[in-house]
Amino acid sequence: MPSTKEIRGKIKSVQNTRKITKAMEMVAASKMRKAQDRMFAARPYGDKIRVIASHLSRASIADYQHPFLTQRNDSKKVGIILVSTDKGLAGALNTNIQRQLLQRFKEWSSEGISVQASALGNKGLGFLQRMGIQVVSQAVQLGDRPNLDRLIGAISAQIEAYKEGKVDKVYLCYTRFVNAMKQIPVVEQILPLTDEHLSAEDPKRKYSWDYIYEPDAQTVLDELLRRYVETLIYQAVAENMASEQSARMVAMKAASDNAKKLIDDLQLVYNKTRQAGITKEITEIVGGAAAVS
């Protein structure tokens, strides 16, 4: 049985750990609120550009079919953009999306489809390297606020590869924020754009749309659809950051609760050990006195 000194040392160590996890829980709660505000603030812009992209994609433009809208039947190579966190201590957040991607990767491998990837976040980059997947671009150390200027390089690598025909489809892998207790790993196709992406309608308007294109329809459609794809990825990063802070808050709260329970258990062991020591000393004194008399 450990001595009372050793048990006191363990209690002190767990108490110090609990102070750290409690502080991290409070910091994560503060950052989560800010991340949620940024995520919700980005949604109206994304919804509006989605409506406009939906209308323009259905408009008839003579002799021009945008590559983002062209479905390719035979897929020989796909690109993936994996959004993850730069830091750990976020529970199973990264593990869940990595498990989803691993399942998809096995399916693609069985069908003879090769994969190239872009990593947004340090944890995802490490996972892709361990899997032996070709990494063509990366953006790490993104901080707590998503910045499109930091993302645009890694995003452009996959977009240009799709336009040049080097990949037939591009998938976006991230964690979608539902609420503070629930985050859902998502692997969705973003190129070519699917009906799911371009099915938005403005419920307030019941008449048909007509646009005047300046300088011309092709230029407008090229710029708009590229901006729309970039918006999808930016929104995914914002969702993932909100999910990260929520998951970290929950994980640190669980760690603090477990530390408190461990302290209570150690304190009980300490009291029992101390009482056993006192009882032993009293027994020795009584036995010694009886032997003398």
Side-chain angles (χ1 to χ4, degrees):
M1 179 179 291
S3 64
T4 56
K5 183 178 180 180
E6 292 175 344
I7 298 174
R8 284 199 307 269
K10 289 181 180 180
I11 292 175
K12 186 66 175 178
S13 176
V14 177
Q15 286 175 339
N16 292 335
T17 301
R18 185 170 183 266
K19 290 179 182 178
I20 295 173
T21 56
K22 192 66 178 179
M24 292 182 67
E25 176 191 347
M26 297 174 66
V27 171
S30 175
K31 289 184 176 181
M32 180 189 69
R33 173 58 59 187
K34 296 178 181 178
Q36 287 181 19
D37 293 341
R38 287 192 294 268
M39 178 191 67
F40 291 135
R43 282 181 177 176
Y45 174 81
D47 293 340
K48 191 62 179 178
I49 197 173
R50 180 181 182 180
V51 171
I52 297 174
S54 174
H55 294 153
L56 291 183
S57 66
R58 287 169 170 78
S60 58
I61 302 176
D63 302 327
Y64 181 68
Q65 180 67 29
H66 197 279
F68 288 3
L69 304 174
T70 304
Q71 300 294 328
R72 303 173 185 177
N73 296 326
D74 297 330
S75 297
K76 297 181 180 179
K77 189 169 186 177
V78 300
I80 58 174
I81 300 175
L82 176 58
V83 183
S84 64
T85 68
D86 285 314
K87 302 176 182 178
L89 298 177
L93 184 76
N94 292 310
T95 303
N96 290 336
I97 188 61
Q98 290 170 5
R99 186 182 296 114
Q100 287 263 17
L101 180 56
L102 179 60
Q103 182 178 353
R104 286 293 189 95
F105 181 69
K106 290 179 179 179
E107 294 175 0
W108 290 327
S109 298
S110 64
E111 296 172 3
I113 299 175
S114 58
V115 178
Q116 71 174 33
S118 296
L120 303 180
N122 194 46
K123 294 297 182 180
L125 176 61
F127 170 75
L128 294 172
Q129 291 174 340
R130 291 192 300 272
M131 289 293 298
I133 300 175
Q134 179 188 5
V135 179
V136 296
S137 61
Q138 63 187 48
V140 298
Q141 302 302 326
L142 300 176
D144 297 324
R145 182 187 297 272
N147 190 329
L148 189 58
D149 293 337
R150 295 281 308 277
L151 304 174
I152 199 67
I155 294 171
S156 297
Q158 293 291 354
I159 294 177
E160 295 302 323
Y162 177 80
K163 292 174 66 176
E164 295 171 4
K166 295 180 181 179
V167 297
D168 301 308
K169 292 180 180 179
V170 178
Y171 290 84
L172 179 61
C173 312
Y174 68 101
T175 303
R176 179 178 296 159
F177 178 85
V178 178
N179 53 50
M181 301 299 296
K182 184 178 181 181
Q183 301 86 36
I184 302 176
V186 175
V187 179
E188 64 178 5
Q189 177 184 320
I190 59 171
L191 288 177
L193 294 170
T194 62
D195 292 337
E196 180 181 354
H197 290 114
L198 298 174
S199 60
E201 293 293 341
D202 191 343
K204 298 180 181 179
R205 302 184 183 274
K206 302 299 182 182
Y207 48 84
S208 61
W209 289 81
D210 190 16
Y211 291 94
I212 299 175
Y213 300 97
E214 291 290 345
D216 57 76
Q218 179 176 338
T219 302
V220 172
L221 197 59
D222 287 344
E223 290 296 327
L224 181 67
L225 290 183
R226 185 183 181 93
R227 179 61 63 88
Y228 175 54
V229 173
E230 292 173 354
T231 302
L232 286 176
I233 300 172
Y234 177 86
Q235 184 67 30
V237 174
E239 298 257 355
N240 198 85
M241 287 184 174
S243 300
E244 174 189 359
Q245 300 302 335
S246 300
R248 181 168 292 119
M249 181 190 71
V250 173
M252 292 300 100
K253 185 179 186 308
S256 299
D257 294 342
N258 290 337
K260 184 178 184 304
K261 182 179 178 181
L262 182 58
I263 290 171
D264 293 340
D265 293 342
L266 287 173
Q267 189 67 49
L268 182 61
V269 173
Y270 172 79
N271 293 337
K272 289 181 178 179
T273 303
R274 182 169 175 270
Q275 188 168 357
I278 294 173
T279 303
K280 181 180 178 182
E281 291 178 2
I282 293 176
T283 303
E284 291 175 351
I285 294 172
V286 172
V292 171
S293 61

